[in-house]
Amino acid sequence: MSENIAKSKSMDFSVRIVNLYKFLTETKKEYVLSKQILRSGTSIGANVSESGCAQSNDDFIAKIYIALKECVETEYWLELLHNTDYITQAQFDSIFADCEELRKILSSTTKTMREKKNKS
């Protein structure tokens, strides 16, 4: 996997999520959805990072798959924040594109690792 790419992009995304959380709580006074997206959005990078110490290929796949599921959840919260007018179209488009790119990287990684596992 381009583990370094996934790790780097997930860290950058986590920083964006923390900044979004600050914006939502300080400017919009929104405290419920912001906690949800903070948890799922930063969990992506935590799981990608944890996969670096996986005990086996199965453990690695499991960690990356958890990161993928957190990414999909984060997309949901971003859509909800947009649909409820907490973030603008421009804000949504920018951060959602980053989340989608991360989801594609993680999805591709899990697919590749499962294929390798099935061949052996």
Side-chain angles (χ1 to χ4, degrees), residues 9-98:
K9 287 191 179 287
S10 62
M11 175 56 81
D12 292 345
F13 186 72
S14 290
V15 169
R16 289 197 73 187
I17 289 294
V18 169
N19 288 330
L20 175 60
Y21 173 79
K22 288 189 220 174
F23 166 76
L24 290 169
T25 56
E26 294 169 8
T27 305
K28 298 291 188 169
K29 305 297 182 206
E30 198 300 311
Y31 304 103
V32 177
L33 301 178
S34 58
K35 281 235 164 93
Q36 291 290 106
I37 198 159
L38 179 66
R39 186 198 55 73
S40 67
T42 56
S43 180
I44 300 164
N47 280 287
V48 168
S49 186
E50 198 175 328
S51 75
C53 292
Q55 296 174 332
S56 64
N57 280 343
D58 285 345
D59 189 33
F60 177 82
I61 293 168
K63 299 286 187 249
I64 296 298
Y65 193 71
I66 291 168
L68 174 61
K69 291 186 343 181
E70 294 292 341
C71 199
V72 170
E73 180 182 340
T74 301
E75 288 179 337
Y76 170 82
W77 294 121
L78 288 170
E79 289 172 358
L80 186 58
L81 286 165
H82 175 253
N83 292 342
T84 54
D85 298 321
Y86 280 108
I87 58 176
T88 65
Q89 185 69 48
Q91 290 168 322
F92 172 79
D93 289 345
S94 173
I95 198 165
F96 193 85
D98 285 354

